Each structure stands twice: as C-alpha cells, then as structure tokens.
Amino acid sequence: MRIENIELRRVSMPLVRPFRTSFGTITERQISLVHVSTAHAEGWAECAAEVWPLYSSEFIDASDLVIRDHLIPRLQALGDALTAERVGNALAPVKGHQMSKAVLETAILDAQLRENGQSFGGYLGAVHDSVPAGVSVGIMDSVDELLEAVAGYLEQGYLRIKLKIEPGWDLEPVRAVRERFGPDLLLQVDANTAYSLADARHLARLDPFDLLLIEQPLGERDLLGHAALARLISTPVCLDESIESAKDAAAAISLGACSIINVKPSRVGGYLEARRIHDVAAAHGVPVWCGGMLETGIGRAANVALAGLPNFVLPGDTSASDRYYARDLTAPFVLEDGHLRVPTGPGTGVAVLPEVLAEVTRSRSDIRF
Ligand code: NPQ
Ligand code: MG
C-alpha cells in the first residue's frame, strides 16, 4: 500500500462534565488525530496520550514529536511494502511509545481495510453484532452526588458501573452504591495505581461488596505486589496500566498477578497486539474486557469492534458518545438496550464530520510521503 500523506491534527474536545480519577481531573480532552491518505482511501485514528504524563509516561507533545521524528521515518523506509501488519515490526526498534505506535498502526489499518472493503470487526474476528456497555464514574465531591450520577447512568441503560477510587474514596462510595442499587448491579472499581501492598487489609474490606474486580490497585511495574495482593483479598484483581504487550499479559497471568485483563489497544501499541492479548488470555481461561481512554467516535468505533471478540466476556468502558461529548467527531454512538452496535462498514465504519472537525481543530501539519 502506498501512503501519500499523513496529517497530524490537534483537536480540543470539551467534556460534558469533569472526570476525576486518582491521578487528576480533566474538563477537556486534547487529542492528536492521525489522518492517512493513500491513492484509494483514507484512514483516521486518535492518540490516547493526554497533556500530562499521569496515566502513563506518554503525553501528547512527546507523542507528536516521536511520531514525526522517529516513527514516520521508519514507515517511509518501508516504501510500497508498507501494510498495517508490518507496522509493528517496523516500529519495534523504538522503545516504548505504545500510544504513538498504536495511532499510526490504527490509521493505516483503517485506510487498508477501507481499500479492501472490510470492516474492523470482520478483520479482527468479532463474533457479536453489538456489545454490552459499561460506564466509568469519576470521583465526586460527595456520596450523594455519586448516587445521583450512577442512578442517571442506570436509567440510560448502562449494564455495568465502574467507580474510580483512591485512598479516602473507596469503602464509603462502594458501600453506598451497593446498598442503594442492590446485589444484582454489576459493580467494579478502578484505583489507577493509587494504593500500595501495605493497604491490603484495607482493600480486603471491599470483599463483602461482591465486586466484579478491582482494577490496577498497585503501581504499573508491580506484578509481584499484585500477585501478593490477589492472595490477600477475594475481589478478583484486574490489570490495566501494567499490561503493555501480550508478553506482559502472559507474565502477569503466570505470576498470578491478575485473573482478568483490561485491554486497551492504545496502551498496548494497537489492535493487533490487543488481539494477541485477547488470545493469550483466552488460552489461559482469563476473561478480558475493553477499556477506554475517553475516545471520540473515531477510537470508539474500533474499540467496539474489538469488544465483539469472543473472550471479551465482561462489559467494557465502551460507553455512548454522550457519556463524554455533547458533539462527537462522528455520528454519535448511542445505547440500544444497554448495548452499542458494532459498525459494519469498511474500516472503522464511521465518517468524521467535517464541520465538527473544523470547529475543534487547534492546529494541523502534513508529512508528505
Ligand atoms: C482507566 N479510563 O481505565 C482510564 C483512565 C483514564 C474510562 O476510566 C484522558 C486520557 C483522561 C486518558 C481519564 C476510564 C483519562 C484517560 C481516565 C484515562 O484507567
Ligand atoms: Mg483503568
């Protein structure tokens, strides 16, 4: 496949409400979009890196730079031999920078699939037409405010609630949500690395609330700590930040560091590595679910396709567009009976809306091939 141009575009997307996690609060998402043009098609993808290196070491300005100066030259060197399947190996000599690698591979895959008339879901091996939707609920100023927010999401049809937690906002909100909404609510928590192994006895106090899982309680490099914690609490441990590759997944499973994995294509370098994690986990009987990084419709479309694979057995953070954005960059994803439909058109199956794109664009630049 022959790329003619790659456009990098910075957009700014206001959130419908502030989103607070253990690592900070955001009110607006700054996103780098990658737009690939070939003679026959175009492809879009979005980079998950944020302004600050707080979720992981990656951040948006560094991402733009590594894409321009270190990753794209390696793709240009492939010439006409470039395919989406060759991107991973071509970029492998560059250490780290999974989100930057992921956005390039994904935009190229989108263009390639559009050229071939194949959908993301079809290419990846999705077996479902629609996927159950969960929602990630930020840390709030009061339990009353949280209960109101959860009630609103349940009214909209969300099938699973994930509460963001941190020391000082854990037992009380979990107890309140469990008591108010009852034992049948699918409920889980995400600490984004906010605890240490010394908190094991405290975290064991979540055991009675019958949570589906606790996500990334300890530091991202601390597989042994998670393995030790998993033996001290009955809530299943799920890893997010710790898993940056299929090899990481295999190691974490073998060590007993997790019994469930949150798969985020952006965190692991793209959809091909995400599918490998799905496969490794399936081979070990470990369920996975699809995480989210506050994607616009561009990234959401591909995530929903991935979530259609057979071992995505838990509802993901694949929420409707209006969970985050009043106006999305694509036609909005909407809940239908608590589910999102897997797009069936070529590539991601969604079209970027030119007027919205123009309105949210802050800068753009072209790299000619
Ligand atoms: C998680 N996502 O599972 C992440 C954390 C997260 C939906 O909970 C900007 C960019 C803001 C990435 C906020 C959800 C973010 C972000 C939260 C990722 O851990
Ligand atoms: Mg997480």
Side-chain angles (χ1 to χ4, degrees):
M1 139 182 201
R2 186 183 206 106
I3 293 180
E4 295 179 339
N5 190 69
I6 292 187
E7 177 197 51
L8 289 181
R9 187 184 279 258
R10 180 74 63 94
V11 301
S12 175
M13 301 276 293
L15 297 180
V16 293
R17 67 197 297 180
F19 187 43
R20 178 172 162 200
T21 71
S22 64
F23 59 83
T25 305
I26 69 160
T27 55
E28 174 179 80
R29 189 83 171 77
Q30 303 286 332
I31 307 174
S32 276
L33 304 179
V34 167
H35 180 219
V36 168
S37 305
T38 73
H40 311 287
E42 44 188 328
W44 283 98
E46 65 180 275
C47 185
E50 240 300 309
V51 172
W52 307 99
L54 299 176
Y55 167 79
S56 74
S57 64
E58 293 186 85
F59 63 101
I60 191 166
D61 287 338
S63 172
D64 284 354
L65 190 147
V66 81
I67 287 172
R68 192 192 64 200
D69 292 350
H70 300 284
L71 301 181
I72 285 182
R74 289 176 185 273
L75 300 181
Q76 287 170 321
L78 287 180
D80 288 352
L82 176 68
T83 62
E85 294 80 6
R86 290 188 174 131
V87 170
N89 276 341
L91 303 184
V94 175
K95 305 287 197 289
H97 299 285
Q98 280 78 2
M99 292 175 181
S100 308
K101 293 173 177 177
V103 68
L104 285 173
E105 185 191 84
T106 306
I108 291 166
L109 181 57
D110 187 32
Q112 180 174 312
L113 293 177
R114 285 174 195 265
E115 278 192 3
N116 299 337
Q118 191 177 20
S119 70
F120 254 70
Y123 174 82
L124 292 171
V127 295
H128 302 292
D129 300 337
S130 70
V131 299
V135 61
S136 178
V137 186
I139 294 165
M140 309 241 163
D141 291 332
S142 72
V143 167
D144 282 346
E145 194 187 340
L146 175 70
L147 291 174
E148 198 180 315
V150 172
Y153 289 130
L154 292 175
E155 224 159 87
Q156 291 169 44
Y158 284 105
L159 298 170
R160 182 227 69 187
I161 298 292
K162 158 167 140 181
L163 303 182
K164 291 293 195 177
I165 60 168
E166 66 182 3
W169 180 263
D170 44 29
L171 302 178
E172 202 194 343
V174 167
R175 178 184 296 112
V177 168
R178 183 53 92 203
E179 280 177 3
R180 163 87 179 268
F181 300 102
D184 292 339
L185 174 68
L186 299 182
L187 182 62
Q188 64 192 53
V189 294
D190 185 358
N192 290 108
T193 76
Y195 296 88
S196 75
L197 190 52
D199 297 313
R201 289 218 295 182
H202 177 73
L203 293 174
R205 295 175 67 194
L206 290 170
D207 287 351
F209 300 115
D210 195 29
L211 300 176
L212 285 168
L213 58 90
I214 180 170
E215 184 178 341
Q216 199 70 42
L218 311 181
E220 66 272 23
R221 309 295 294 272
D222 194 6
L223 290 186
L224 293 179
H226 282 100
L229 179 66
R231 285 183 240 108
L232 296 169
I233 65 178
S234 65
T235 306
V237 173
C238 171
L239 290 177
D240 174 356
E241 287 90 330
S242 291
I243 308 299
E244 295 193 344
S245 66
K247 283 207 167 98
D248 287 349
I253 292 166
S254 298
L255 288 169
C258 66
S259 51
I260 300 171
I261 294 175
N262 168 338
V263 180
K264 286 178 184 163
S266 53
R267 193 193 66 227
V268 306
Y271 287 83
L272 299 182
E273 191 70 6
R275 183 172 58 183
R276 285 179 209 114
I277 294 176
H278 164 274
D279 295 349
V280 165
H284 286 87
V286 167
V288 305
W289 54 279
C290 184
M293 296 290 280
L294 284 53
E295 285 87 354
T296 72
I298 297 172
R300 196 162 297 283
N303 284 349
V304 168
L306 179 72
L309 269 64
N311 194 36
F312 280 83
V313 291
L314 293 168
D317 284 341
T318 42
S319 304
S321 294
D322 69 2
R323 158 66 183 88
Y324 296 113
Y325 304 111
R327 284 176 78 202
D328 206 338
L329 287 176
T330 65
F333 280 83
V334 292
L335 289 188
E336 297 172 37
D337 218 4
H339 290 67
L340 294 181
R341 204 177 299 180
V342 177
T344 54
T348 57
V350 293
V352 175
L353 302 171
E355 323 80 61
V356 183
L357 181 65
E359 211 170 283
V360 299
T361 295
R362 295 291 171 269
S363 64
R364 56 173 299 287
S365 62
D366 286 308
I367 298 154
R368 302 289 310 171
F369 265 55

